[in-house]
Each structure stands twice: as C-alpha cells, then as structure tokens.
Amino acid sequence: MQNQKLQTMQADKISPAGPITTNQGVGVNDTDNSLKAGGRGPTLLQDFILREKLTHFDHERIPERVVHARGSGAHGVFQVYDGLGHLTKAHFLSDPSLITPVFVRFSTVAGSRGSADTVRDVRGFAVKFYTQQGNYDLVGNNMPVFFIQDAMKFPDLVHAVKPEPHNEMPQAASAHDTFWDFVVNTPETMHTVMWLMSPRALPRSFRMMEGFGVHTFQLVNAKGERKFVKFHWKPLLDVHSLEWDEAQQIAGKDADFNRRDLFNTIESGVPVEFELGLQILDPADEFKFDFDILDPTKLWPEELISVQRVGKLTLNQNPTNFFAETEQVAFCPANIVPGIDFTNDPLLQGRLFSYLDTQLSRLGGPNFQQLPINRPLCSVRNNQRDGLHQMHIHESKTAHSPNGLSQNEPHPAHAHESFFEHLQEKLEGMTVRGRSASFADHFSQPAMFWNSMCAFEQQHIVDAFCFELGKCNNKDTRQKLVDMLAHVHADLAKRVGDGLGLKPAKAKAAQPKPKCSPALSMEHSLKSAQTRKVAILIAPGFDKGQLDQLTQQLTQVGALYELVAGSLAPVDKVEVGQTFATASSVLYDGVFAFDESAEAIRFVEQTRMHHKPVGQSGGVADFVAALAQGR
Ligand code: HDE
C-alpha cells in the first residue's frame, strides 16, 4: 500500500555510497589515523577532521524519555471501513477512500532505553496519523485505565516506580518498596494495579495486545454535534501473553524479544494489523453509569457500550534508522485535528501540557516538529520564527499578523478552509483544588476485573502479587496491600495473604452484587497458529520425510520454524539455524523434537512446563493442531 509519508521522507535519506566527507563536505581519505608530528609524536590541534569526528560523537546521545524510554516503531497506514461523517468531521475518519500514513511506537514504561522487553509493565501504544488536516496523535496504552486520576500525581507515580533514588535499583520493575508504598497510600491505583498484575502486563508480542486511548474524548461532526468516545485498538491476532517464568527467562535470553518479533515480522512481509474500535456515548447518557465517564481509572464495560470496529491499521514498513525515527518521534495528546476534541478529564488536561514541554529538553528546542518523522504531510504556515535548529527558510519580510506589508499572509483560515474550532461548551464552577465525589469509588471496577478473570488469570494475578510484594522489604506495606485487596475480593486477599504469610483485615466487599465483564478475560482469545514460532530439534538419523511433512503443514497454517541442533554443522545435510547454546524453549511457541539428547529433553520439558505444545516423531498432525489451539 502506498505510504505518502515514507515517500516524502525519501528526500531526507543519506545514501552511504561515495567517498567519506567532513560535515562541511570536504573529502577525507583516512578516517583511522589522527594527524601527528612524527609517527610517535603528539597529535596536532589543527586536525579538524579528528576534532569534528570526536565532537560529533561526544554529543550523539539525547536524553531518553522520562517514561516510555524503551520503544520500537513501525510505519504503516490507516483506513476507515465506512465513512463516519455522522460522528466526526475528521477527514481521515469520514472518507473511506483516504489512506492515512501512520507511525506507531510501542514501549514499556518504567525501564531505561536498554532495558529488557518482557518485564512486567504497562505497554505504550502511540499512533501518529499524518492526516491531510494535520498530525493526529492517539497516545495510548495496552491497558484501558490509568494509575491516577489527576496529572498532579504523575511525577509521584513515576518517581515511585522508577529505580529507587538512593541506589538506582531495580531496573524496569515495579517489585520494590517505593512503588508499593505509593500504591498502598493511593487507593485510586487499585484498578490499574490489577491489570498490571494480570497476564496483560506480559504481551507475547506487540502484535498480540490491545491498545486503548484511556481517556474519554469527543467526536464532533460538521453540524457541531458531539458524542463521547473511547478509542480501542483490537489486534487481528487477538490478545496473548507470556507466562511470568518465560518472561523472566526471555529477559536474559533475548532482551529484544518483542522488538525483534515486530521487526522480523514486518521484514518478512507479514503485515501487523489492528482494528480501530470506538465506544460511542451520547452526551445525554453521561450520568447514567455507576462510574464517572471522566475518571481515567474506570473503563466502559463492552457489554454496556459495545466496541464498533471502524477501520484498520496496518504496519508494514520498518524504520530505516532507529534514532531518526523511533527515538526522535515526538507524540503529544494535544495533537488533534478538527472533528476530535478533549474532555475535562483532569489527567488528560495535564498530558496536554506535558508532552510538548518534555520534547523541549529531550529534542533540544522548539523546532522538533521539523524533524522528518514529526513533520506533517500538509503545509505548515505561521509567524513562529527562529529558535534552535530552525530548518526552514521563511520567505516573507513580515513575521507578524495582522499585516498589510504581505497582504495579511499567512491569513487566518477562511470558512471554506480546514481549521480547528474548539467545542463551544458552557463552563462554570468555583475554583477548587480537589476531586469530584464521583471519582471516589476505587474498588468496584477492580472487583469487576477480578470477577471477570478465568482460573488461570486469577492464579496469575495471585502469583504476581506474591512475587511483587515478596520483593517489597517493608512488612507494613505488605500488610496494607493485603488489606487493600480485601476491598476488592476476600478470596484474592486471602490467597495473596497466604502467599505472604499475612491475614487480611476484615473489609466490606466492593460490590454487594458482583459484576462481571466477560470481554476482559483472555480465555476466549482467538486461537491460531498464524506467525507462531516453532523449534524443530534435529539430530543425525532423523526422519527427513516427516520433517518435510511438518514444515509443509506449519507453512500452511502460517506458522514459522527454526531448526535447532547440537552445533551449526548441517545434520544429515540439512542446514541448522540455531544451537542449544543460542536457542531456548522460552523463545518459541512450541517444539517438535526428532532429537532425544539430554539437551533436547530439557528443551521439551521446559516447553511443557510453560503449557506450550510439544510434538514428537509420528505426531505431526496432532502437533500442528495443538499449535493452532495454543495460548
Ligand atoms: Fe504519558 N508521557 N503521561 N501517558 N505516555 C510520556 O512524553 C505524562 C499517560 C504515554 O512512544 C512523556 O514524549 C503525564 C497516560 C505513551 O514516545 C511525558 C501523564 C497514557 C508515551 C508523559 C501521562 C500515557 C508517553 C515522556 C499524566 C495512556 C510514549 C516522553 C498526566 C493513555 C510515547 C514523551 C512515545 C510518554 C507525560 C499519563 C501514554 C513525560 C504528565 C494516561 C504511550 O510527556
């Protein structure tokens, strides 16, 4: 599919072919030796080639993002299925013939840029749409709710979850004192903490996780009519997760597990696909629920307000250069286009400020929008001027408005031109530093989440709490957390308490009549072998006929495979991709063993331990069927 953004970025690409030059374009014939007075003599200050090379190197790093530092990006396109003009005047959503280029960055939150992919964490899911009416950023997460209700608390949350300030430990983990100290003193975190302890925090792949805009936004049509909306991304492969033990081992075996999966899938020509989902709410129904629709710690149960799938996001091109694109991309929830608007969610309001602000120190000045990855596809025209790293050469004598000297150009958009108009709303209220009482229920939805989980998900949550709190040194914090869980569900509190050797305090159940939202469980996720990866263990004397049968059937169901053996030497003339030294069962979705060596047996046992399918000689069809029924 065409991608206009990538086409325009072609002009910015630097080809490596040709002689080396300095940054001034002067040819260089030796980039290995500095200029010296005699072979063993002092290096000369006049060596501008050496000084330029070192100076540039010294400044190669930019500050990593304060949160979401570790990320992986991809280009693609978005197209709406049917025109949504009745809901929004945003062209990219109302015209089904439009193919809108996008750049997506998936991320973890707490870890540094070089941290492992498979840590227990929320995942970022940020999408930049390069629309004809300007850039629209949907900067979401893979969980539909957030830890806090007010932007004022964000620095505290992040300080608590990041490595502790006195010893900078632990890396990319919430399993430590300060995080849980924050949680037990901030009950509004309970709902997102339940998600964080669930399998959702360990996605098998970025291609197998949902995305959520989290906040309630508004859609506005050409008549000025508005609807509340929640945005969703639904992966076509549905939602799948790793087990905790697998995730921990993968962090050591392949810290780039999710990044590699995304990169390799796109490189192999398989598109990564998500559908855009909308939950639409009429303003007349704003107060019809037992939660406040502006509260970002609450989700809208899909059984109450269905998710309509309205369009498709297809990621099909890897970045050409990680730094230029994935690192320099600057998302901002305030980047919206006509037809989409904000709400009074106090968390969202703070984000509208924070993202642009953070780029000023991260990307070093106010002109970061001019970087190729951030540049809109439509024209940019205004009287903002100068600043660090200004790339444009503005042509006019004037940089003020209104003006007569330049016939008042650029001019305020005319009625027939595209422009953003804020929703007209009546606002009133006393100045108050506080929260609405309608934000006060912190336990009903965590209880609904717990009630909606199947047995394996509940066990995962219990185990996760036991691990995390087990790593928390402060006994008082552990007790407070178990007491907090008693407000969610007595069974949950008891099971976690048992694991920690603590008794939960008596507490009133959050919900007199337990509620459930089946859509929250992964139990009924679509099962498919598509893009699942299998290790095939071979040893001398193995049955080649069966190997052919197996690889053919795997290919038919869209699965991938690698041949693993004791060494990289061909086995009975068959080339091998991995050895027992480089491969590990945790990096695969299943294993088929033609080999019965001790290493192969260990591989197989570990695969079984993680509840993944195992096949052995004679069982090709059963194995492929089991793979399709995998997690
Ligand atoms: Fe962010 N967040 N955030 N956040 N966030 C950033 O912006 C912030 C929140 C999210 O791939 C930062 O450019 C505040 C919710 C993603 O580049 C920073 C608050 C959600 C990404 C920032 C929140 C997110 C960020 C760091 C509370 C889900 C990565 C670097 C008011 C809806 C984007 C940057 C990428 C990144 C601030 C809460 C998602 C500091 C103040 C809620 C996916 O500006």
PDB file of all heavy atoms in Angstrom, residues 65-68 105 107 124-126 139-141 146 151 154 212-215 329 331 347 350-351 354-355 358-359 362, ligand 1:
ATOM      1  N   ARG A  65      13.508   9.362  27.076  1.00  0.00           N
ATOM      2  CA  ARG A  65      12.196   9.795  27.575  1.00  0.00           C
ATOM      3  C   ARG A  65      12.122   9.533  29.081  1.00  0.00           C
ATOM      4  O   ARG A  65      12.594   8.488  29.529  1.00  0.00           O
ATOM      5  CB  ARG A  65      11.088   9.021  26.865  1.00  0.00           C
ATOM      6  CG  ARG A  65      10.888   9.384  25.402  1.00  0.00           C
ATOM      7  CD  ARG A  65      10.060   8.311  24.711  1.00  0.00           C
ATOM      8  NE  ARG A  65       9.663   8.637  23.352  1.00  0.00           N
ATOM      9  CZ  ARG A  65      10.433   8.494  22.285  1.00  0.00           C
ATOM     10  NH1 ARG A  65      11.662   8.035  22.411  1.00  0.00           N
ATOM     11  NH2 ARG A  65       9.986   8.810  21.079  1.00  0.00           N
ATOM     12  N   VAL A  66      11.499  10.457  29.848  1.00  0.00           N
ATOM     13  CA  VAL A  66      11.405  10.236  31.298  1.00  0.00           C
ATOM     14  C   VAL A  66      10.621   8.971  31.623  1.00  0.00           C
ATOM     15  O   VAL A  66      10.905   8.286  32.603  1.00  0.00           O
ATOM     16  CB  VAL A  66      10.743  11.419  32.065  1.00  0.00           C
ATOM     17  CG1 VAL A  66      11.756  12.278  32.731  1.00  0.00           C
ATOM     18  CG2 VAL A  66       9.803  12.204  31.206  1.00  0.00           C
ATOM     19  N   VAL A  67       9.621   8.698  30.814  1.00  0.00           N
ATOM     20  CA  VAL A  67       8.921   7.402  30.868  1.00  0.00           C
ATOM     21  C   VAL A  67       8.809   6.899  29.429  1.00  0.00           C
ATOM     22  O   VAL A  67       9.006   7.661  28.503  1.00  0.00           O
ATOM     23  CB  VAL A  67       7.506   7.526  31.478  1.00  0.00           C
ATOM     24  CG1 VAL A  67       7.552   7.578  32.979  1.00  0.00           C
ATOM     25  CG2 VAL A  67       6.762   8.740  30.905  1.00  0.00           C
ATOM     26  N   HIS A  68       8.529   5.621  29.256  1.00  0.00           N
ATOM     27  CA  HIS A  68       8.422   5.019  27.914  1.00  0.00           C
ATOM     28  C   HIS A  68       9.732   5.158  27.141  1.00  0.00           C
ATOM     29  O   HIS A  68       9.730   5.375  25.929  1.00  0.00           O
ATOM     30  CB  HIS A  68       7.284   5.655  27.111  1.00  0.00           C
ATOM     31  CG  HIS A  68       5.917   5.434  27.694  1.00  0.00           C
ATOM     32  ND1 HIS A  68       5.090   4.406  27.303  1.00  0.00           N
ATOM     33  CD2 HIS A  68       5.226   6.111  28.657  1.00  0.00           C
ATOM     34  CE1 HIS A  68       3.959   4.470  27.979  1.00  0.00           C
ATOM     35  NE2 HIS A  68       4.010   5.489  28.813  1.00  0.00           N
ATOM     36  N   ARG A 105       4.613   3.777  17.785  1.00  0.00           N
ATOM     37  CA  ARG A 105       5.714   3.396  18.698  1.00  0.00           C
ATOM     38  C   ARG A 105       5.125   2.644  19.886  1.00  0.00           C
ATOM     39  O   ARG A 105       4.260   3.158  20.590  1.00  0.00           O
ATOM     40  CB  ARG A 105       6.481   4.637  19.174  1.00  0.00           C
ATOM     41  CG  ARG A 105       7.714   4.294  20.019  1.00  0.00           C
ATOM     42  CD  ARG A 105       8.562   5.528  20.295  1.00  0.00           C
ATOM     43  NE  ARG A 105       9.690   5.218  21.147  1.00  0.00           N
ATOM     44  CZ  ARG A 105       9.660   5.196  22.484  1.00  0.00           C
ATOM     45  NH1 ARG A 105       8.539   5.484  23.124  1.00  0.00           N
ATOM     46  NH2 ARG A 105      10.733   4.893  23.184  1.00  0.00           N
ATOM     47  N   SER A 107       5.973   0.652  23.514  1.00  0.00           N
ATOM     48  CA  SER A 107       7.026   0.887  24.513  1.00  0.00           C
ATOM     49  C   SER A 107       6.685   0.202  25.831  1.00  0.00           C
ATOM     50  O   SER A 107       5.545  -0.186  26.074  1.00  0.00           O
ATOM     51  CB  SER A 107       7.167   2.396  24.749  1.00  0.00           C
ATOM     52  OG  SER A 107       5.899   2.990  24.969  1.00  0.00           O
ATOM     53  N   GLY A 124       3.151   1.059  26.123  1.00  0.00           N
ATOM     54  CA  GLY A 124       2.644   2.216  25.385  1.00  0.00           C
ATOM     55  C   GLY A 124       2.248   1.796  23.988  1.00  0.00           C
ATOM     56  O   GLY A 124       2.830   0.854  23.418  1.00  0.00           O
ATOM     57  N   PHE A 125       1.255   2.460  23.433  1.00  0.00           N
ATOM     58  CA  PHE A 125       0.760   2.182  22.081  1.00  0.00           C
ATOM     59  C   PHE A 125       0.415   3.539  21.486  1.00  0.00           C
ATOM     60  O   PHE A 125      -0.706   4.007  21.593  1.00  0.00           O
ATOM     61  CB  PHE A 125      -0.476   1.273  22.195  1.00  0.00           C
ATOM     62  CG  PHE A 125      -0.953   0.638  20.918  1.00  0.00           C
ATOM     63  CD1 PHE A 125      -1.340  -0.701  20.909  1.00  0.00           C
ATOM     64  CD2 PHE A 125      -1.045   1.346  19.726  1.00  0.00           C
ATOM     65  CE1 PHE A 125      -1.807  -1.317  19.750  1.00  0.00           C
ATOM     66  CE2 PHE A 125      -1.506   0.749  18.574  1.00  0.00           C
ATOM     67  CZ  PHE A 125      -1.885  -0.586  18.584  1.00  0.00           C
ATOM     68  N   ALA A 126       1.449   4.190  20.925  1.00  0.00           N
ATOM     69  CA  ALA A 126       1.273   5.568  20.455  1.00  0.00           C
ATOM     70  C   ALA A 126       1.215   5.590  18.934  1.00  0.00           C
ATOM     71  O   ALA A 126       2.083   5.020  18.270  1.00  0.00           O
ATOM     72  CB  ALA A 126       2.428   6.434  20.947  1.00  0.00           C
ATOM     73  N   VAL A 139      -2.203   8.715  21.749  1.00  0.00           N
ATOM     74  CA  VAL A 139      -1.079   8.252  22.576  1.00  0.00           C
ATOM     75  C   VAL A 139      -1.645   7.386  23.702  1.00  0.00           C
ATOM     76  O   VAL A 139      -1.982   7.881  24.781  1.00  0.00           O
ATOM     77  CB  VAL A 139      -0.291   9.457  23.142  1.00  0.00           C
ATOM     78  CG1 VAL A 139       1.069   8.992  23.663  1.00  0.00           C
ATOM     79  CG2 VAL A 139      -0.104  10.530  22.098  1.00  0.00           C
ATOM     80  N   GLY A 140      -1.773   6.101  23.420  1.00  0.00           N
ATOM     81  CA  GLY A 140      -2.471   5.219  24.352  1.00  0.00           C
ATOM     82  C   GLY A 140      -1.572   4.173  24.979  1.00  0.00           C
ATOM     83  O   GLY A 140      -0.357   4.166  24.785  1.00  0.00           O
ATOM     84  N   ASN A 141      -2.191   3.291  25.736  1.00  0.00           N
ATOM     85  CA  ASN A 141      -1.519   2.180  26.410  1.00  0.00           C
ATOM     86  C   ASN A 141      -2.214   0.868  26.070  1.00  0.00           C
ATOM     87  O   ASN A 141      -3.300   0.870  25.491  1.00  0.00           O
ATOM     88  CB  ASN A 141      -1.559   2.365  27.929  1.00  0.00           C
ATOM     89  CG  ASN A 141      -0.493   3.346  28.424  1.00  0.00           C
ATOM     90  OD1 ASN A 141       0.464   3.646  27.716  1.00  0.00           O
ATOM     91  ND2 ASN A 141      -0.670   3.844  29.627  1.00  0.00           N
ATOM     92  N   PHE A 146      -5.810   4.004  33.966  1.00  0.00           N
ATOM     93  CA  PHE A 146      -4.508   4.502  34.402  1.00  0.00           C
ATOM     94  C   PHE A 146      -4.448   4.516  35.933  1.00  0.00           C
ATOM     95  O   PHE A 146      -5.457   4.466  36.611  1.00  0.00           O
ATOM     96  CB  PHE A 146      -4.243   5.897  33.809  1.00  0.00           C
ATOM     97  CG  PHE A 146      -2.777   6.247  33.836  1.00  0.00           C
ATOM     98  CD1 PHE A 146      -1.868   5.526  33.072  1.00  0.00           C
ATOM     99  CD2 PHE A 146      -2.307   7.279  34.640  1.00  0.00           C
ATOM    100  CE1 PHE A 146      -0.511   5.822  33.107  1.00  0.00           C
ATOM    101  CE2 PHE A 146      -0.948   7.584  34.675  1.00  0.00           C
ATOM    102  CZ  PHE A 146      -0.052   6.861  33.917  1.00  0.00           C
ATOM    103  N   ALA A 151      -3.326  14.715  36.937  1.00  0.00           N
ATOM    104  CA  ALA A 151      -1.961  14.878  36.434  1.00  0.00           C
ATOM    105  C   ALA A 151      -0.991  15.311  37.532  1.00  0.00           C
ATOM    106  O   ALA A 151       0.204  15.035  37.466  1.00  0.00           O
ATOM    107  CB  ALA A 151      -1.954  15.907  35.310  1.00  0.00           C
ATOM    108  N   PHE A 154       1.299  12.594  38.742  1.00  0.00           N
ATOM    109  CA  PHE A 154       2.114  11.802  37.814  1.00  0.00           C
ATOM    110  C   PHE A 154       3.593  11.748  38.212  1.00  0.00           C
ATOM    111  O   PHE A 154       4.185  10.665  38.237  1.00  0.00           O
ATOM    112  CB  PHE A 154       1.940  12.331  36.384  1.00  0.00           C
ATOM    113  CG  PHE A 154       2.554  11.436  35.333  1.00  0.00           C
ATOM    114  CD1 PHE A 154       2.035  10.173  35.082  1.00  0.00           C
ATOM    115  CD2 PHE A 154       3.653  11.847  34.600  1.00  0.00           C
ATOM    116  CE1 PHE A 154       2.598   9.351  34.114  1.00  0.00           C
ATOM    117  CE2 PHE A 154       4.225  11.027  33.630  1.00  0.00           C
ATOM    118  CZ  PHE A 154       3.692   9.778  33.395  1.00  0.00           C
ATOM    119  N   PHE A 212      -5.509   1.190  23.951  1.00  0.00           N
ATOM    120  CA  PHE A 212      -6.636   1.978  24.461  1.00  0.00           C
ATOM    121  C   PHE A 212      -6.227   3.457  24.540  1.00  0.00           C
ATOM    122  O   PHE A 212      -5.122   3.768  25.010  1.00  0.00           O
ATOM    123  CB  PHE A 212      -7.015   1.531  25.875  1.00  0.00           C
ATOM    124  CG  PHE A 212      -7.381   0.075  25.979  1.00  0.00           C
ATOM    125  CD1 PHE A 212      -6.411  -0.886  26.238  1.00  0.00           C
ATOM    126  CD2 PHE A 212      -8.697  -0.339  25.809  1.00  0.00           C
ATOM    127  CE1 PHE A 212      -6.737  -2.230  26.335  1.00  0.00           C
ATOM    128  CE2 PHE A 212      -9.034  -1.685  25.905  1.00  0.00           C
ATOM    129  CZ  PHE A 212      -8.052  -2.635  26.169  1.00  0.00           C
ATOM    130  N   GLY A 213      -7.123   4.333  24.150  1.00  0.00           N
ATOM    131  CA  GLY A 213      -6.867   5.773  24.318  1.00  0.00           C
ATOM    132  C   GLY A 213      -6.967   6.188  25.776  1.00  0.00           C
ATOM    133  O   GLY A 213      -6.586   7.299  26.138  1.00  0.00           O
ATOM    134  N   VAL A 214      -7.535   5.338  26.614  1.00  0.00           N
ATOM    135  CA  VAL A 214      -7.728   5.512  28.054  1.00  0.00           C
ATOM    136  C   VAL A 214      -8.743   6.622  28.367  1.00  0.00           C
ATOM    137  O   VAL A 214      -9.787   6.361  28.946  1.00  0.00           O
ATOM    138  CB  VAL A 214      -6.412   5.739  28.816  1.00  0.00           C
ATOM    139  CG1 VAL A 214      -6.667   6.040  30.296  1.00  0.00           C
ATOM    140  CG2 VAL A 214      -5.511   4.508  28.680  1.00  0.00           C
ATOM    141  N   HIS A 215      -8.431   7.858  28.020  1.00  0.00           N
ATOM    142  CA  HIS A 215      -9.339   8.954  28.371  1.00  0.00           C
ATOM    143  C   HIS A 215     -10.609   8.889  27.533  1.00  0.00           C
ATOM    144  O   HIS A 215     -10.638   8.296  26.462  1.00  0.00           O
ATOM    145  CB  HIS A 215      -8.690  10.307  28.090  1.00  0.00           C
ATOM    146  CG  HIS A 215      -7.332  10.422  28.670  1.00  0.00           C
ATOM    147  ND1 HIS A 215      -7.121  10.678  30.000  1.00  0.00           N
ATOM    148  CD2 HIS A 215      -6.112  10.278  28.114  1.00  0.00           C
ATOM    149  CE1 HIS A 215      -5.825  10.705  30.216  1.00  0.00           C
ATOM    150  NE2 HIS A 215      -5.190  10.459  29.104  1.00  0.00           N
ATOM    151  N   VAL A 329      10.791  10.522  17.275  1.00  0.00           N
ATOM    152  CA  VAL A 329       9.362  10.803  17.110  1.00  0.00           C
ATOM    153  C   VAL A 329       8.829  11.424  18.403  1.00  0.00           C
ATOM    154  O   VAL A 329       9.183  11.009  19.507  1.00  0.00           O
ATOM    155  CB  VAL A 329       8.578   9.533  16.710  1.00  0.00           C
ATOM    156  CG1 VAL A 329       8.568   8.485  17.804  1.00  0.00           C
ATOM    157  CG2 VAL A 329       7.152   9.888  16.303  1.00  0.00           C
ATOM    158  N   PHE A 331       5.420  12.353  20.279  1.00  0.00           N
ATOM    159  CA  PHE A 331       3.960  12.266  20.354  1.00  0.00           C
ATOM    160  C   PHE A 331       3.422  13.298  21.335  1.00  0.00           C
ATOM    161  O   PHE A 331       4.129  13.703  22.272  1.00  0.00           O
ATOM    162  CB  PHE A 331       3.527  10.871  20.818  1.00  0.00           C
ATOM    163  CG  PHE A 331       3.833   9.788  19.819  1.00  0.00           C
ATOM    164  CD1 PHE A 331       5.000   9.049  19.914  1.00  0.00           C
ATOM    165  CD2 PHE A 331       2.956   9.514  18.787  1.00  0.00           C
ATOM    166  CE1 PHE A 331       5.293   8.053  18.993  1.00  0.00           C
ATOM    167  CE2 PHE A 331       3.233   8.514  17.856  1.00  0.00           C
ATOM    168  CZ  PHE A 331       4.403   7.781  17.970  1.00  0.00           C
ATOM    169  N   LEU A 347      -6.652  14.185  34.162  1.00  0.00           N
ATOM    170  CA  LEU A 347      -5.393  13.535  33.791  1.00  0.00           C
ATOM    171  C   LEU A 347      -5.029  13.937  32.362  1.00  0.00           C
ATOM    172  O   LEU A 347      -3.891  14.304  32.068  1.00  0.00           O
ATOM    173  CB  LEU A 347      -5.560  12.013  33.884  1.00  0.00           C
ATOM    174  CG  LEU A 347      -4.279  11.201  33.763  1.00  0.00           C
ATOM    175  CD1 LEU A 347      -3.422  11.350  35.014  1.00  0.00           C
ATOM    176  CD2 LEU A 347      -4.598   9.725  33.540  1.00  0.00           C
ATOM    177  N   GLY A 350      -3.622  17.516  32.024  1.00  0.00           N
ATOM    178  CA  GLY A 350      -2.200  17.646  32.364  1.00  0.00           C
ATOM    179  C   GLY A 350      -1.313  17.128  31.245  1.00  0.00           C
ATOM    180  O   GLY A 350      -0.259  17.691  30.949  1.00  0.00           O
ATOM    181  N   ARG A 351      -1.758  16.059  30.585  1.00  0.00           N
ATOM    182  CA  ARG A 351      -0.963  15.497  29.485  1.00  0.00           C
ATOM    183  C   ARG A 351      -0.872  16.482  28.326  1.00  0.00           C
ATOM    184  O   ARG A 351       0.129  16.527  27.622  1.00  0.00           O
ATOM    185  CB  ARG A 351      -1.598  14.191  28.986  1.00  0.00           C
ATOM    186  CG  ARG A 351      -1.550  13.064  29.978  1.00  0.00           C
ATOM    187  CD  ARG A 351      -2.158  11.802  29.389  1.00  0.00           C
ATOM    188  NE  ARG A 351      -1.294  11.161  28.415  1.00  0.00           N
ATOM    189  CZ  ARG A 351      -1.722  10.353  27.454  1.00  0.00           C
ATOM    190  NH1 ARG A 351      -3.004  10.085  27.330  1.00  0.00           N
ATOM    191  NH2 ARG A 351      -0.872   9.805  26.602  1.00  0.00           N
ATOM    192  N   SER A 354       2.160  18.388  29.181  1.00  0.00           N
ATOM    193  CA  SER A 354       3.437  17.750  29.485  1.00  0.00           C
ATOM    194  C   SER A 354       4.235  17.279  28.259  1.00  0.00           C
ATOM    195  O   SER A 354       5.460  17.349  28.238  1.00  0.00           O
ATOM    196  CB  SER A 354       3.157  16.555  30.395  1.00  0.00           C
ATOM    197  OG  SER A 354       4.333  15.925  30.775  1.00  0.00           O
ATOM    198  N   TYR A 355       3.533  16.805  27.233  1.00  0.00           N
ATOM    199  CA  TYR A 355       4.253  16.146  26.137  1.00  0.00           C
ATOM    200  C   TYR A 355       5.067  17.125  25.297  1.00  0.00           C
ATOM    201  O   TYR A 355       6.199  16.856  24.936  1.00  0.00           O
ATOM    202  CB  TYR A 355       3.279  15.340  25.262  1.00  0.00           C
ATOM    203  CG  TYR A 355       2.798  14.088  25.961  1.00  0.00           C
ATOM    204  CD1 TYR A 355       2.018  14.171  27.105  1.00  0.00           C
ATOM    205  CD2 TYR A 355       3.135  12.831  25.515  1.00  0.00           C
ATOM    206  CE1 TYR A 355       1.583  13.039  27.770  1.00  0.00           C
ATOM    207  CE2 TYR A 355       2.705  11.688  26.169  1.00  0.00           C
ATOM    208  CZ  TYR A 355       1.923  11.797  27.296  1.00  0.00           C
ATOM    209  OH  TYR A 355       1.505  10.678  27.951  1.00  0.00           O
ATOM    210  N   THR A 358       8.062  18.254  27.427  1.00  0.00           N
ATOM    211  CA  THR A 358       9.167  17.306  27.598  1.00  0.00           C
ATOM    212  C   THR A 358      10.059  17.253  26.351  1.00  0.00           C
ATOM    213  O   THR A 358      11.259  17.033  26.443  1.00  0.00           O
ATOM    214  CB  THR A 358       8.626  15.905  27.972  1.00  0.00           C
ATOM    215  OG1 THR A 358       9.650  15.148  28.599  1.00  0.00           O
ATOM    216  CG2 THR A 358       8.131  15.121  26.767  1.00  0.00           C
ATOM    217  N   GLN A 359       9.470  17.501  25.172  1.00  0.00           N
ATOM    218  CA  GLN A 359      10.296  17.446  23.944  1.00  0.00           C
ATOM    219  C   GLN A 359      11.322  18.571  23.937  1.00  0.00           C
ATOM    220  O   GLN A 359      12.365  18.450  23.295  1.00  0.00           O
ATOM    221  CB  GLN A 359       9.440  17.558  22.673  1.00  0.00           C
ATOM    222  CG  GLN A 359       8.229  16.647  22.599  1.00  0.00           C
ATOM    223  CD  GLN A 359       8.513  15.183  22.854  1.00  0.00           C
ATOM    224  OE1 GLN A 359       9.672  14.751  22.852  1.00  0.00           O
ATOM    225  NE2 GLN A 359       7.481  14.399  23.084  1.00  0.00           N
ATOM    226  N   ARG A 362      14.160  17.065  25.636  1.00  0.00           N
ATOM    227  CA  ARG A 362      14.597  15.815  25.008  1.00  0.00           C
ATOM    228  C   ARG A 362      15.152  16.063  23.612  1.00  0.00           C
ATOM    229  O   ARG A 362      16.165  15.487  23.217  1.00  0.00           O
ATOM    230  CB  ARG A 362      13.409  14.852  24.927  1.00  0.00           C
ATOM    231  CG  ARG A 362      13.769  13.422  24.660  1.00  0.00           C
ATOM    232  CD  ARG A 362      12.563  12.528  24.821  1.00  0.00           C
ATOM    233  NE  ARG A 362      11.623  12.638  23.727  1.00  0.00           N
ATOM    234  CZ  ARG A 362      11.764  12.014  22.552  1.00  0.00           C
ATOM    235  NH1 ARG A 362      12.805  11.244  22.338  1.00  0.00           N
ATOM    236  NH2 ARG A 362      10.857  12.141  21.606  1.00  0.00           N
TER     237      ARG A 362
HETATM  238 FE1  HDE B   1       2.436   9.664  29.143  1.00  0.00          FE
HETATM  239  N1  HDE B   1       4.177  10.726  28.948  1.00  0.00           N
HETATM  240  N2  HDE B   1       1.921  10.853  30.694  1.00  0.00           N
HETATM  241  N3  HDE B   1       0.736   8.560  29.460  1.00  0.00           N
HETATM  242  N4  HDE B   1       2.912   8.485  27.635  1.00  0.00           N
HETATM  243  C1  HDE B   1       5.135  10.467  28.042  1.00  0.00           C
HETATM  244  O1  HDE B   1       6.144  12.130  26.760  1.00  0.00           O
HETATM  245  C2  HDE B   1       2.501  12.040  31.021  1.00  0.00           C
HETATM  246  C3  HDE B   1      -0.218   8.797  30.393  1.00  0.00           C
HETATM  247  C4  HDE B   1       2.146   7.511  27.060  1.00  0.00           C
HETATM  248  O2  HDE B   1       6.219   6.426  22.309  1.00  0.00           O
HETATM  249  C5  HDE B   1       6.200  11.519  28.020  1.00  0.00           C
HETATM  250  O3  HDE B   1       7.321  12.245  24.849  1.00  0.00           O
HETATM  251  C6  HDE B   1       1.771  12.697  32.053  1.00  0.00           C
HETATM  252  C7  HDE B   1      -1.421   8.059  30.099  1.00  0.00           C
HETATM  253  C8  HDE B   1       2.860   6.886  25.974  1.00  0.00           C
HETATM  254  O4  HDE B   1       7.067   8.431  22.510  1.00  0.00           O
HETATM  255  C9  HDE B   1       5.723  12.533  29.065  1.00  0.00           C
HETATM  256  C10 HDE B   1       0.722  11.868  32.362  1.00  0.00           C
HETATM  257  C11 HDE B   1      -1.145   7.364  28.965  1.00  0.00           C
HETATM  258  C12 HDE B   1       4.083   7.540  25.914  1.00  0.00           C
HETATM  259  C13 HDE B   1       4.437  11.907  29.540  1.00  0.00           C
HETATM  260  C14 HDE B   1       0.826  10.713  31.498  1.00  0.00           C
HETATM  261  C15 HDE B   1       0.203   7.681  28.573  1.00  0.00           C
HETATM  262  C16 HDE B   1       4.088   8.542  26.958  1.00  0.00           C
HETATM  263  C17 HDE B   1       7.599  11.028  28.139  1.00  0.00           C
HETATM  264  C18 HDE B   1      -0.365  12.060  33.401  1.00  0.00           C
HETATM  265  C19 HDE B   1      -2.050   6.371  28.227  1.00  0.00           C
HETATM  266  C20 HDE B   1       5.230   7.241  24.975  1.00  0.00           C
HETATM  267  C21 HDE B   1       8.226  11.243  26.783  1.00  0.00           C
HETATM  268  C22 HDE B   1      -0.998  13.311  33.330  1.00  0.00           C
HETATM  269  C23 HDE B   1      -3.261   6.978  27.713  1.00  0.00           C
HETATM  270  C24 HDE B   1       5.095   7.969  23.674  1.00  0.00           C
HETATM  271  C25 HDE B   1       7.224  11.900  25.999  1.00  0.00           C
HETATM  272  C26 HDE B   1       6.219   7.578  22.751  1.00  0.00           C
HETATM  273  C27 HDE B   1       5.143   9.424  27.190  1.00  0.00           C
HETATM  274  C28 HDE B   1       3.672  12.514  30.456  1.00  0.00           C
HETATM  275  C29 HDE B   1      -0.077   9.613  31.571  1.00  0.00           C
HETATM  276  C30 HDE B   1       0.807   7.090  27.424  1.00  0.00           C
HETATM  277  C31 HDE B   1       6.671  12.880  30.162  1.00  0.00           C
HETATM  278  C32 HDE B   1       2.122  14.030  32.676  1.00  0.00           C
HETATM  279  C33 HDE B   1      -2.727   8.091  30.885  1.00  0.00           C
HETATM  280  C34 HDE B   1       2.374   5.738  25.096  1.00  0.00           C
HETATM  281  O5  HDE B   1       5.460  13.766  28.471  1.00  0.00           O
END
